[in-house]
């Protein structure tokens, strides 16, 4: 792919006139005399495809946002590489409340060296007590220019900080604002309530955070029985203010078990956040986002449709469906609920229209990325199973 920048606004799914790749077998003989790598000629590779992407913005100023997370040192350390994508060198601040640890100082120093403005604080409280305590910690750490307190999980991933800043700018921070994402699963709303689900990221304006701080002791005591911290914050807001949740649909909790490929391959507007990628299903968001160094954050998960029915979802997959795609808007229902069958009715508020799972879909998933100067090489792999050979497709990205 050859990237060409444009100032025009582009759809998130676009059609290209070119055909899909022509696959060729390679002789990968495994012996001591084989070269470590094979250099392919230009004739062995598909012709370059030129795509237009939005002009990248200069470094985003997020100094008006302070984030908080309740976690452990071990989990925080495993999240550094993904946090670097959205937290480094943009002046946003992060406060992490963790259990006492002798290694937290070293971790804090390492994160700061990566451009992440982080402060790690110890607390002997339980996870959910620490989670609710973030409302007071963030209030006390506010600065004159602070507009938003963002509370996240350690596996909350923002694809584009500039997009998040632009979206928050649509809301008035001088008013009491409680902004967040719902779970996609309506049954869970019936159990946990109409609240901002923490994994998607919740954002509290300073006037609302002040109200919470004023009743902090009462709320901490009254709602300690609730088993989740985001529910405690919601109940405190609902009991002591007239503020109600402002649902931001592009903040995604992703309560989807099993195979979430239908969500990621839908070609809809880029999510502001995704969640559960670390433990519920295998997605390497660091590899996924590597291509942004060439085509910018706005091209992550962007979908291109080739002339012969192949779809490239940038940073996730390269697929060809077994059924003709008449309605490109419908999302493929690929997930389940802990081995329990799900129906489209349970996602009407969040993800519909949906279509049945395509049993004939051929799917190449991103497994490896190599960055070489201004070139990003993505390797998508198709593993059909026992008795069939794996296939690898390389997509190389460069700037024009």
């Amino acid at each position: 792919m050859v990237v060409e920048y444009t100032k025009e606004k582009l759809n998130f799914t676009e059609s290209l006139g070119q055909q899909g790749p022509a696959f060729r077998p390679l002789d990968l003989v495994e012996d001591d005399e084989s070269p470590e790598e094979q250099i392919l000629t230009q004739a062995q590779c598909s012709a370059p495809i030129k795509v237009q992407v939005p002009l990248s913005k200069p470094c985003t100023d997020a100094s008006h946002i302070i984030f908080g997370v309740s976690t452990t040192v071990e989990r925080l350390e495993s999240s550094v590489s993904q946090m670097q994508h959205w937290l480094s060198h943009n002046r946003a601040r992060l406060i992490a409340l963790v259990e006492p640890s002798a290694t937290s100082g070293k971790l804090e120093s390492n994160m700061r060296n990566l451009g992440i403005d982080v402060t790690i604080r110890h607390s002997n409280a339980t996870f959910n007590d620490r989670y609710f305590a973030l409302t007071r910690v963030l209030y006390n750490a506010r600065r004159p220019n602070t507009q938003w307190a963002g509370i996240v999980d350690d596996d909350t991933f923002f694809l584009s900080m500039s997009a998040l800043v632009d979206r928050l700018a649509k809301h008035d921070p001088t008013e009491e604002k409680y902004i967040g994402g719902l779970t996609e699963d309506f049954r869970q709303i019936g159990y946990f309530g109409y609240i901002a689900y923490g994994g998607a990221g919740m954002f509290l304006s300073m006037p609302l955070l002040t109200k919470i701080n004023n009743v902090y002791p009462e709320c901490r005591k009254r709602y300690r029985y609730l088993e989740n911290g985001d529910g405690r914050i919601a109940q405190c807001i609902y009991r002591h203010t007239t503020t109600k949740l402002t649902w931001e649909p592009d903040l995604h909790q992703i309560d989807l078990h099993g195979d979430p490929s239908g969500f990621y391959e839908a070609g809809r507007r880029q999510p502001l956040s995704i969640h559960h990628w670390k433990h519920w299903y295998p997605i390497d968001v660091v590899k996924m986002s590597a291509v942004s160094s060439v085509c910018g954050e706005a091209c992550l998960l962007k979908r291109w449709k080739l002339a012969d029915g192949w779809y490239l979802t940038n940073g996730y997959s390269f697929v060809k469906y077994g059924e003709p795609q008449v309605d490109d808007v419908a999302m493929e229902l690929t997930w389940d609920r802990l081995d329990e069958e799900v129906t489209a009715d349970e996602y009407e508020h969040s993800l519909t229209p949906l279509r049945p799972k395509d049993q004939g879909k051929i799917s190449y998933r991103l497994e490896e990325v190599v960055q070489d100067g201004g070139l990003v090489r993505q390797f998508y792999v198709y593993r059909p199973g026992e008795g069939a050979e794996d296939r690898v497709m390389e997509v190389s990205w460069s700037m024009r």
Side-chain angles (χ1 to χ4, degrees):
M1 294 287 191
V2 178
V3 173
E4 183 179 76
Y5 293 116
T6 178
K7 294 183 179 180
E8 297 179 6
K9 187 175 181 180
L10 301 175
N11 295 326
F12 209 65
T13 294
E14 292 187 26
S15 296
L16 300 174
Q18 289 88 342
Q19 299 290 312
F23 294 96
R24 298 176 178 87
L26 295 177
D27 186 13
L28 302 178
V29 180
E30 296 183 3
D31 58 50
D32 294 338
E33 297 180 358
S34 298
E36 292 185 0
E37 62 180 30
Q38 298 183 29
I39 306 300
L40 303 183
T41 66
Q42 186 64 42
Q44 291 176 288
C45 301
S46 300
I49 300 174
K50 183 174 70 175
V51 296
Q52 291 188 325
V53 299
L55 188 66
S56 296
K57 295 184 178 181
C59 187
T60 300
D61 181 6
S63 59
H64 57 300
I65 307 175
I66 181 170
F67 290 93
V69 62
S70 172
T71 184
T72 65
V73 166
E74 292 75 20
R75 287 179 62 99
L76 182 61
E77 187 169 20
S78 69
S79 301
V80 171
S81 56
Q82 66 93 358
M83 287 183 171
Q84 188 179 358
H85 171 78
W86 57 273
L87 263 181
S88 64
H89 303 294
N90 56 30
R91 301 176 66 195
R93 291 184 291 150
L94 172 69
I95 296 180
L97 289 185
V98 303
E99 299 168 350
S101 170
T103 62
S104 62
K106 181 179 179 180
L107 176 59
E108 181 179 278
S109 177
N110 291 341
M111 293 178 70
R112 286 182 173 272
N113 288 337
L114 294 172
I116 301 175
D117 187 352
V118 63
T119 301
I120 300 178
R121 298 184 182 178
H122 292 171
S123 172
N124 288 310
T126 65
F127 171 85
N128 284 319
D129 285 346
R130 294 200 307 272
Y131 193 103
F132 184 73
L134 285 170
T135 58
R136 170 151 287 188
V137 170
L138 296 178
Y139 174 82
N140 290 333
R142 74 195 187 284
R143 293 172 180 169
N145 71 320
T146 303
Q147 296 180 353
W148 301 102
I151 298 179
V152 298
D153 287 356
D154 55 37
D155 60 345
T156 302
F157 181 74
F158 295 100
L159 281 75
S160 170
M161 180 58 83
S162 62
L164 176 64
V165 168
D166 289 346
R167 193 66 58 86
L168 289 176
K170 297 181 181 296
H171 303 276
D172 187 348
T174 66
E175 299 178 353
E176 294 179 20
K177 290 292 185 179
Y178 171 43
I179 301 170
L182 292 169
T183 174
E184 294 80 10
D185 188 340
F186 191 76
R187 295 206 325 185
Q188 292 208 49
I189 295 178
Y191 183 77
F192 291 107
Y194 189 79
I195 66 173
Y197 286 73
M202 77 171 73
F203 294 89
L204 311 173
S205 65
M206 290 303 101
L208 180 60
L209 194 64
T210 300
K211 286 270 186 84
I212 297 173
N213 185 69
N214 290 340
V215 293
Y216 176 82
E218 179 183 344
C219 287
R220 181 180 60 177
K221 181 178 180 180
R222 177 183 291 272
Y223 300 114
R224 182 164 286 176
Y225 71 93
L226 290 176
E227 61 186 38
N228 50 334
D230 46 11
R232 297 183 188 187
I233 293 174
Q235 291 304 314
C236 186
I237 293 171
Y238 292 157
R239 181 175 181 85
H240 293 281
T241 79
T242 58
T243 302
K244 298 296 181 283
L245 173 66
T246 298
W247 177 26
E248 177 49 71
D250 291 330
L251 293 171
H252 283 282
Q253 174 76 2
I254 317 245
D255 282 336
L256 310 175
H257 290 272
D259 175 14
S261 62
F263 171 84
Y264 287 98
E265 295 167 347
R268 298 181 182 178
R269 187 165 63 178
Q270 184 187 60
L272 288 175
S273 65
I274 58 176
H275 180 231
H276 282 148
W277 53 269
K278 187 186 286 189
H279 301 290
W280 282 29
Y281 46 82
I283 293 181
D284 190 326
V285 295
V286 177
K287 292 178 181 177
M288 180 190 79
S289 59
V291 72
S292 64
S293 65
V294 174
C295 63
E297 294 174 340
C299 80
L300 297 182
L301 298 182
K302 181 176 174 64
R303 188 174 73 164
W304 282 279
K305 179 182 179 181
L306 301 181
D308 53 356
W310 285 93
Y311 290 81
L312 171 64
T313 300
N314 195 14
Y316 185 78
S317 68
F318 195 80
V319 304
K320 191 169 189 177
Y321 295 98
E323 299 292 334
Q325 298 304 294
V326 178
D327 181 7
D328 282 348
V329 176
M331 179 183 294
E332 184 187 8
L333 202 168
T334 58
W335 56 89
D336 54 36
R337 186 190 294 110
L338 296 177
D339 298 324
E340 180 183 347
E341 185 178 355
V342 297
T343 66
D345 294 346
E346 296 153 357
Y347 302 92
E348 283 185 343
H349 73 290
S350 57
L351 300 180
T352 53
L354 297 173
R355 56 185 172 83
K357 185 172 183 176
D358 189 325
Q359 300 297 335
K361 181 173 70 173
I362 300 173
S363 179
Y364 290 70
R365 297 289 180 86
L366 182 70
E367 292 196 8
E368 193 55 74
V369 173
V370 176
Q371 294 180 269
D372 183 12
L375 182 69
V376 175
R377 302 169 62 195
Q378 299 172 322
F379 294 89
Y380 297 86
V381 182
Y382 173 49
R383 301 186 184 277
E386 187 177 353
E389 295 180 343
D390 294 347
R391 287 189 171 190
V392 178
M393 187 191 68
E394 177 184 344
V395 179
S396 296
W397 292 82
S398 62
M399 290 182 289
R400 181 174 179 175

